[in-house]
C-alpha cells in the first residue's frame, strides 16, 4: 500500500467514481463534472489530494482537504472536504487513519494549528469520527478535531 498525489486526470475520475459509489444521490444531487472540474483544478494547483493505492496500484481510498478560515476563529484550520474508501472493516479503519495522518503532516508543513474532519451525512452512527477519536482526536458528534499546537 502507498499514498500518492494524483498522477493523471484518470486518477481524479477514478476517485470521483469511488466517492459516488458510496454517496446517497437522493439526499444531495451530485454533478460529477462539476466535482471533476474542481478537483482537477485543485490537483493542478498542488492542493492536498491524496490517494491510497493497493498493491496493484488501484485507488482504494482518497481524501481532499483544504485550508479554511472560520468566521469565529482567529486561526486557520485544515479541513477534510471529501473522503472515500472502497474497503470495509479493519481495512476501512486503516484507510481513515492513514489518510488523516497524511492530513496532519500537511497541516504541520503549512503551520496550520488545527485539523478538522467531519463525517458524512450518511454516517448516522458517527463511525468515521469515532475512529479518529480512538486515535487521539477530540470529537463532538460527527466532527473530529486534532489540535497540533
Amino acid at each position: 500500500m502507498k499514498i500518492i498525489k494524483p498522477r493523471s486526470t484518470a486518477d481524479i475520475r477514478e476517485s470521483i467514481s469511488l466517492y459516488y459509489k458510496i454517496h446517497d444521490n437522493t439526499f444531495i444531487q451530485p454533478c460529477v463534472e462539476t466535482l471533476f472540474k474542481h478537483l482537477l483544478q485543485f490537483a493542478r494547483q498542488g492542493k492536498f489530494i491524496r490517494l491510497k493505492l493497493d498493491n496493484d496500484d488501484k485507488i482504494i481510498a482518497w481524501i481532499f482537504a483544504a485550508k479554511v478560515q472560520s468566521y469565529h476563529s482567529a486561526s486557520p484550520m485544515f479541513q477534510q472536504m471529501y473522503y472515500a474508501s472502497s474497503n470495509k472493516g479493519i481495512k476501512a479503519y486503516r484507510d481513515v487513519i492513514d489518510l488523516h495522518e497524511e492530513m496532519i503532516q500537511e497541516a504541520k508543513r503549512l503551520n496550520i494549528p488545527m485539523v478538522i474532519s467531519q463525517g458524512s451525512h450518511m454516517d448516522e452512527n458517527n463511525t468515521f469520527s469515532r475512529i479518529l477519536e480512538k486515535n487521539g482526536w477530540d470529537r463532538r458528534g460527527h466532527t473530529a478535531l486534532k489540535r497540533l499546537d
Side-chain angles (χ1 to χ4, degrees), residues 83 89-102 104-105 108 115 117 126-139 143-148:
Y83 176 86
I90 191 67
K91 288 182 179 180
Y93 183 98
R94 278 290 356 136
D95 293 344
V96 171
I97 299 308
D98 292 346
L99 289 170
H100 281 78
E101 183 57 35
E102 290 284 322
I104 290 169
Q105 294 310 313
K108 287 179 179 178
V115 178
S117 191
N126 300 320
T127 303
F128 188 85
S129 59
R130 288 178 192 277
I131 290 170
L132 295 171
E133 182 181 34
K134 288 179 182 176
N135 285 273
W137 291 55
D138 295 326
R139 183 187 69 84
T143 301
L145 175 74
K146 181 80 169 178
R147 290 178 178 81
L148 304 178

Side-chain angles (χ1 to χ4, degrees), residues 76-92:
M77 297 177 274
F78 200 51
Q79 183 172 334
Q80 172 255 318
M81 303 298 200
Y82 286 94
Y83 176 86
S85 170
S86 61
N87 284 320
K88 304 282 186 228
I90 191 67
K91 288 182 179 180

Side-chain angles (χ1 to χ4, degrees), residues 1-5 7 11 14 51-61:
M1 308 270 178
K2 60 186 169 186
I3 297 175
I4 65 166
K5 295 177 181 180
R7 302 162 290 192
D11 280 350
E14 188 177 338
L51 315 174
K52 187 173 182 182
L53 308 179
D54 66 11
N55 293 331
D56 295 323
D57 281 347
K58 182 179 183 225
I59 298 169
I60 56 172

Side-chain angles (χ1 to χ4, degrees), residues 4-71:
I4 65 166
K5 295 177 181 180
R7 302 162 290 192
S8 65
T9 57
D11 280 350
I12 300 293
R13 287 215 182 267
E14 188 177 338
S15 299
I16 291 169
S17 176
L18 175 61
Y19 180 78
Y20 282 119
K21 283 179 184 173
I22 62 173
H23 181 74
D24 178 1
N25 296 338
T26 64
F27 187 68
I28 298 175
Q29 187 63 39
C31 179
V32 173
E33 285 308 309
T34 299
L35 180 55
F36 173 74
K37 179 180 79 172
H38 286 110
L39 283 179
L40 183 60
Q41 176 184 1
F42 295 145
R44 288 179 175 160
Q45 293 171 346
K47 302 292 184 186
F48 181 83
I49 301 172
R50 296 295 183 271
L51 315 174
K52 187 173 182 182
L53 308 179
D54 66 11
N55 293 331
D56 295 323
D57 281 347
K58 182 179 183 225
I59 298 169
I60 56 172
W62 68 281
I63 194 167
F64 166 58
K67 180 180 177 181
V68 297
Q69 181 67 53
S70 174
Y71 294 119

